[in-house]
Amino acid sequence: MRREILDEASALESTTIGVYRTAATVKGGRRFSFAAQVVVGNRKGQLGIGYGKANQVPPAIEKAQKEARRKMRSYPLQGRTIPHAVTGRFGACMVRLLPAAPGAGVIAGAAVRAPLEMLGLQDCLTKSYGSNNPKNLVKAVVNGLEQLRSKQEIAALRGVDLGLTEVEEAIARNQAYVAAAAATSVGEAADDHQAAPEQAQ
């Protein structure tokens, strides 16, 4: 997969999922045409996918990038992960997206990882079922992302205060653990520093 920066001002990046070649048999031989699937995102919650066709590879990628930029939209995130679990479907593909604890990373194959990273997710668990066609997997991921709702949206729809969600509790527990571990390591370093002069005497 090839990555490139499209626009430094808006921090747009592009990842080429795949380039596909087709051949048409004509009187003089075979005529080739190319298609490209591209994911464009800013790693800040915005994402779009595009598909372009041309007689050469570079124009096909450019067409796909233009379509992806036109189709870009925002999706709700919860810090470094997603607000809740969703299941995306497209054709014979099904992709399950699950929130992950900070530090887990994006656990996914190449086709599923690309749109999640372009969106800006750093912690997410995924599992795909059915077909493993990269074109349809990417569309299934986008279908799943379209089902995401922020805590504020759900609270407004229900007309109640939701309190802390499971994802928020997990993030808070992780932050408390990291802070406690950092304090412990600082205390041990200070004890070692005090012990060093005493040993020298």
Side-chain angles (χ1 to χ4, degrees), residues 13-27:
E13 292 183 46
S14 164
T15 299
T16 303
I17 301 294
V19 175
Y20 311 97
R21 188 183 75 173
T22 57
T25 304
V26 294
K27 189 176 179 181

Side-chain angles (χ1 to χ4, degrees), residues 86-110:
V86 290
T87 302
R89 292 180 175 83
F90 188 88
C93 296
M94 186 170 80
V95 177
R96 180 84 169 148
L97 306 177
L98 299 165
V106 177
I107 311 299

Side-chain angles (χ1 to χ4, degrees), residues 18-22 32-38 50-67 70 135 139:
V19 175
Y20 311 97
R21 188 183 75 173
T22 57
F32 295 105
S33 63
F34 298 89
Q37 188 177 37
V38 167
Y51 191 77
K53 298 178 182 178
N55 292 329
Q56 300 292 330
V57 174
I61 293 175
E62 283 179 26
K63 283 183 181 180
Q65 287 173 343
K66 284 181 182 178
E67 183 183 336
R70 279 201 312 271
K135 294 180 189 177
K139 292 177 181 179

Side-chain angles (χ1 to χ4, degrees), residues 3-201:
R3 288 188 181 175
E4 60 179 283
I5 296 174
L6 293 181
D7 187 355
E8 291 187 5
S10 57
L12 281 183
E13 292 183 46
S14 164
T15 299
T16 303
I17 301 294
V19 175
Y20 311 97
R21 188 183 75 173
T22 57
T25 304
V26 294
K27 189 176 179 181
R30 288 194 298 172
R31 185 167 52 214
F32 295 105
S33 63
F34 298 89
Q37 188 177 37
V38 167
V39 177
V40 172
N42 63 358
R43 297 183 187 267
K44 295 177 183 175
Q46 288 190 311
L47 176 75
I49 63 169
Y51 191 77
K53 298 178 182 178
N55 292 329
Q56 300 292 330
V57 174
I61 293 175
E62 283 179 26
K63 283 183 181 180
Q65 287 173 343
K66 284 181 182 178
E67 183 183 336
R69 290 177 76 162
R70 279 201 312 271
K71 290 184 175 180
M72 276 187 74
R73 56 161 289 189
S74 298
Y75 299 93
L77 302 181
Q78 181 75 55
R80 294 157 48 107
T81 189
I82 54 178
H84 54 86
V86 290
T87 302
R89 292 180 175 83
F90 188 88
C93 296
M94 186 170 80
V95 177
R96 180 84 169 148
L97 306 177
L98 299 165
V106 177
I107 311 299
V112 175
R113 177 187 297 271
L116 296 181
E117 288 187 342
M118 287 295 106
L119 184 64
L121 290 175
Q122 294 173 304
D123 303 303
C124 187
L125 306 178
T126 69
K127 176 65 181 171
S128 68
Y129 303 91
S131 170
N132 60 359
N133 179 351
K135 294 180 189 177
N136 289 351
L137 279 174
V138 171
K139 292 177 181 179
V141 169
V142 172
N143 176 258
L145 294 174
E146 287 171 352
Q147 299 169 31
L148 289 176
R149 298 288 179 270
S150 68
K151 178 183 169 183
Q152 290 76 17
E153 285 179 280
I154 295 171
L157 286 169
R158 294 183 184 176
V160 295
D161 183 18
L162 298 177
L164 283 178
T165 64
E166 289 182 12
V167 177
E168 288 174 331
E169 288 175 1
I171 292 172
R173 280 198 305 270
N174 185 273
Q175 289 173 342
Y177 174 78
V178 169
T184 304
S185 62
V186 168
E188 289 175 354
D191 292 342
D192 291 343
H193 185 68
Q194 288 177 352
E198 293 175 3
Q199 289 175 357
Q201 292 174 3

